[in-house]
Amino acid sequence: MSLSSDDIHKIAHLARLAVDEAEIAPLQRDLSNILGLVEQMQAVDTSQVEPMAHPLEMPQRLRPDEVTETNQRERYLRNAPAAENGLFLVPKVIE
Amino acid sequence: MHDKTLAQLSTGLAGGEFSSVELTRHFLDRIAALDGRLNSFITVTEEQALAQAEAADARIAAGEAGPLTGIPLAHKDIFCTQDVRTSCGSFMLDNFVSPYDAAVVTNLAQAGMVMLGKTNMDEFAMGSSNETSYYGPVRNPWDSSRVPGGSSGGSAAAVAARLAPAATGTDTGGSIRQPAALTGITGLKPTYGRCSRWGMIAFASSLDQAGPMARSAEDAALLLSGMAGFDERDSTSVDRPVDDYAAALEHPLAGLKVGLVREFMQEGLDSGVAAATEAVLGELKRQGVEVIEISLPNAHLSVPAYYVVAPAECSSNLSRFDGVRFGHRCEDPKDLEDLYKRSRSEGFGAEVKRRILIGTYALSAGYYDAYYLKAQQVRQLIAQDFRSAFERVDLIVTPTAPGTAFPLGDKTDDPVSMYLQDIYTIAVNLAGLPAISIPAPPAEGLPTGFQMIGNHFEEARLLNVAHQIQRETDWHRQVPAGF
């Protein structure tokens, strides 16, 4: 399995990572090597195997739909890179 | 005081031999004097530690102490700690001060333990050598030119060098057990769901589990008792009483049947580690344990399956780092997409980016069935191998890692060779099982690890067998020179 430079650009965009041109070739090599390792799985027939979604094969627990947390907006905004009037600030999205 | 076990420290505190403040001061002094050689701590919380120690002394004086009250420990910097920087080894979170404590941190604080600080780790727990940390590599106290293993390398080095009596770690593919093996300490990865993941920064949510790192099985048992328990805030936490680990330690082993994994004793295993494994098996046999060979025919697929499942979950979990709500933000973003992309690229290191990219690819349109679904099916086959094995044996044993601690820089240019460090540990996480690594005899002066894997929720049995081995041998009592 080998990835082209276009593949790397496409995946990086999906992952919202900026990639310099200088990083493309090493990433192509490393990711292709990792996919080569992963490829070993294809040798085994799993057509009759139920995929394992949870290590203990347990269903997800549900809880009553009740309010359990109090509002701590100021506290949680303290780690925000930019906040104002209780809101997170981002560059203008709508012209 | 730093050569005492947790039980001895507990007795010393209760008997007034020393106070928690004295004990805490002693370890803080050791960290200040010796950690320059190791880099095992990212943050030392001296002020908070001394305040917690004073509170613990008051509790002891009032007769309200438990067995862990007043004993210092270090937390891996993956656990959120209120009002203390929680970096996860990443520049992304270099400025992140957690607004709350992780459940494991709360549990141990309520037991009266004193936090000395936060330990170094591979960035977001992705690594097997502690070389991916933004804060620089940790050095192995046995040989400073070598790695301590990872990702809980700071916790392992700190405990091995006796800068902390014990520490917490987390294990997604071997991150407690492999560093425990490479530094000569005891580390336990509990059953998936045994310790709450709440407030533990997520890497791969179906694999991550917190556990104790200590200098003996007895100490690990004591620490696990304080960490484990149901937590309704973690939707995969298991509502089941915590066993009395300390009470189970003394059971004799005669009649027990263990299975040695044939596939793990073949090519790729260092001869010194193979001999060390045989030595521990010899001790088990002396105690009346029957050792048979077993096969895990799909175990060779565990590394390939893991490098789909873990990156896929990581790419999803790490999407929260967007430069908007917390963590690093780039300068002067020109629009929202630029903000996301540059904040993430600047905030994450190379290994984290590689795994995000692999995971994104595996989950992308057209590839999901070939990668993620296939890996979940292979995971089922691996779990089935274990289920079959546990019909024949009580415990499964293997070496913990294929070799001893390797030199810094040895594997950093080749991700795949680094990944193969976890070849004996990863299958356990895929199956959600508990496993312990204990020191085996050293090979050429370096520690080696012996892994024992139990069926789900059999932590008490693992600790029992480990303790019985440690009662009769001194492999776990070796300490690195100069510490």
Side-chain angles (χ1 to χ4, degrees):
Chain A
M1 184 69 217
S2 81
L3 295 171
S4 67
S5 111
D6 278 356
D7 291 332
I8 302 288
H9 282 291
K10 184 171 162 241
I11 303 163
H13 173 68
L14 287 172
R16 297 298 184 271
L17 287 170
V19 179
D20 289 344
E21 279 309 313
E23 293 175 89
I24 296 286
L27 276 173
Q28 265 181 278
R29 184 197 64 210
D30 289 342
L31 299 190
S32 298
N33 285 346
I34 297 167
L35 291 174
L37 170 79
V38 160
E39 213 62 32
Q40 293 171 30
M41 293 192 305
Q42 304 304 337
V44 49
D45 176 15
T46 52
S47 53
Q48 305 301 314
V49 181
E50 187 69 23
M52 184 169 173
H54 187 294
L56 300 177
E57 303 284 0
M58 292 167 81
Q60 200 81 327
R61 197 176 56 250
L62 297 176
R63 64 167 177 82
D65 185 16
E66 288 162 1
V67 176
T68 55
E69 295 287 333
T70 53
N71 189 0
Q72 302 187 55
R73 178 185 278 188
E74 290 311 316
R75 185 187 180 88
Y76 293 141
L77 278 172
R78 241 178 270 157
N79 274 298
E84 205 177 288
N85 299 328
L87 302 168
F88 295 111
L89 293 188
V90 294
K92 198 168 178 183
V93 178
I94 302 163
E95 290 301 325
Chain B
M1 286 183 271
H2 56 269
D3 51 10
K4 291 190 186 320
T5 67
L6 295 193
Q8 287 166 341
L9 290 176
S10 194
T11 309
L13 286 164
E17 197 183 314
F18 41 80
S19 68
S20 176
V21 169
E22 286 166 338
L23 189 59
T24 301
R25 177 46 62 206
H26 178 74
F27 281 102
L28 288 170
D29 289 347
R30 280 183 67 77
I31 295 167
L34 300 168
D35 199 40
R37 285 151 57 186
L38 299 176
N39 195 29
S40 69
F41 281 82
I42 291 174
T43 305
V44 177
T45 50
E46 176 165 345
E47 217 173 286
Q48 293 97 323
L50 290 167
Q52 278 186 319
E54 273 179 38
D57 282 331
R59 230 171 116 174
I60 293 165
E64 291 161 3
L68 293 169
T69 307
I71 299 178
L73 93 161
H75 283 301
K76 184 177 182 179
D77 207 18
I78 197 169
F79 292 99
C80 283
T81 43
Q82 188 169 334
D83 301 331
V84 172
R85 178 187 43 192
T86 300
S87 75
C88 221
S90 181
F91 177 57
M92 179 61 87
L93 290 177
D94 184 49
N95 60 3
F96 180 72
V97 176
S98 174
Y100 62 93
D101 277 335
V104 161
V105 172
T106 303
N107 290 350
L108 293 173
Q110 283 173 351
M113 292 198 87
V114 172
M115 177 174 80
L116 296 167
K118 309 291 295 289
T119 56
N120 204 342
M121 55 182 283
D122 278 299
E123 184 180 7
F124 284 102
M126 298 175 200
S128 305
S129 68
N130 218 116
E131 291 170 290
T132 72
S133 170
Y134 169 67
Y135 302 92
V138 176
R139 289 171 184 276
N140 193 316
W142 290 89
D143 177 346
S144 63
S145 71
R146 292 173 190 270
V147 304
S151 67
S152 312
S155 287
V159 172
R162 301 179 296 173
L163 305 187
T168 53
T170 62
D171 190 315
T172 304
S175 281
I176 287 175
R177 292 161 286 156
Q178 183 256 14
L182 269 45
T183 58
I185 65 165
T186 298
L188 172 73
K189 181 206 101 70
T191 307
Y192 182 77
R194 181 66 296 180
C195 293
S196 171
R197 291 184 297 109
W198 197 81
M200 199 174 102
I201 296 173
F203 159 19
S205 302
S206 77
L207 305 166
D208 297 342
Q209 181 57 204
M213 303 179 78
R215 294 214 319 282
S216 68
E218 187 183 18
D219 284 0
L222 206 53
L223 189 56
L224 181 62
S225 306
M227 297 173 73
F230 174 63
D231 179 6
E232 61 183 13
R233 298 167 301 182
D234 169 2
S235 66
T236 57
S237 171
V238 177
D239 191 0
R240 174 186 169 116
V242 176
D243 292 332
D244 187 342
Y245 302 120
L249 291 175
E250 300 301 338
H251 292 167
L253 305 186
L256 212 62
K257 199 168 173 181
V258 307
L260 175 67
V261 181
R262 185 185 307 134
E263 291 86 354
F264 290 178
M265 294 301 284
Q266 294 165 356
E267 56 174 320
L269 178 63
D270 174 88
S271 60
V273 178
T277 306
E278 293 295 344
V280 184
L281 290 172
E283 176 55 32
L284 284 171
K285 288 176 192 163
R286 263 191 295 283
Q287 295 193 31
V289 174
E290 184 187 350
V291 180
I292 64 167
E293 263 201 11
I294 60 158
S295 171
L296 298 174
N298 294 293
H300 67 287
L301 297 173
S302 59
V303 175
Y306 179 89
Y307 278 97
V308 173
V309 173
E313 295 183 10
C314 125
S315 74
S316 165
N317 273 325
L318 271 58
S319 65
R320 75 192 58 185
F321 300 103
D322 56 8
V324 174
R325 293 162 298 165
F326 41 74
H328 173 71
R329 179 179 209 157
C330 67
E331 294 286 334
D332 301 322
K334 69 177 194 310
D335 56 28
L336 194 56
E337 185 173 305
D338 184 45
L339 166 66
Y340 291 151
K341 285 187 171 176
R342 280 201 291 128
S343 298
R344 288 165 62 77
S345 297
E346 293 166 11
F348 294 136
E351 178 61 19
V352 171
K353 285 188 228 179
R354 272 196 287 272
R355 296 208 197 183
I356 289 174
L357 290 169
I358 284 288
T360 302
Y361 178 69
L363 292 175
S364 63
Y367 295 100
Y368 180 87
D369 284 4
Y371 288 106
Y372 195 71
L373 192 71
K374 182 81 184 181
Q376 295 288 57
Q377 289 170 316
V378 169
R379 189 173 178 182
Q380 186 74 269
L381 293 176
I382 292 163
Q384 182 54 47
D385 282 355
F386 280 113
R387 284 193 283 269
S388 305
F390 283 124
E391 286 170 11
R392 297 178 59 207
V393 297
D394 301 301
L395 289 179
I396 294 169
V397 298
T398 81
T400 306
T404 53
F406 47 90
L408 270 92
D410 204 31
K411 300 184 197 294
T412 40
D413 290 339
D414 181 0
V416 169
S417 81
M418 186 71 86
Y419 298 171
L420 294 174
Q421 264 300 302
D422 296 328
I423 193 160
Y424 307 142
T425 48
I426 273 180
V428 166
N429 299 76
L430 291 170
L433 296 164
I436 193 168
S437 177
I438 59 170
E444 292 177 15
L446 291 170
T448 67
F450 181 79
Q451 176 177 238
M452 299 190 282
I453 306 164
N455 213 336
H456 292 124
F457 297 102
E458 292 203 336
E459 288 82 3
R461 171 124 66 179
L462 292 174
L463 290 161
N464 164 221
V465 177
H467 178 66
Q468 292 303 312
I469 293 168
Q470 293 182 342
R471 248 183 50 162
E472 299 297 326
T473 61
D474 64 359
W475 304 317
H476 66 296
R477 290 202 193 90
Q478 311 302 313
V479 290
F483 292 95

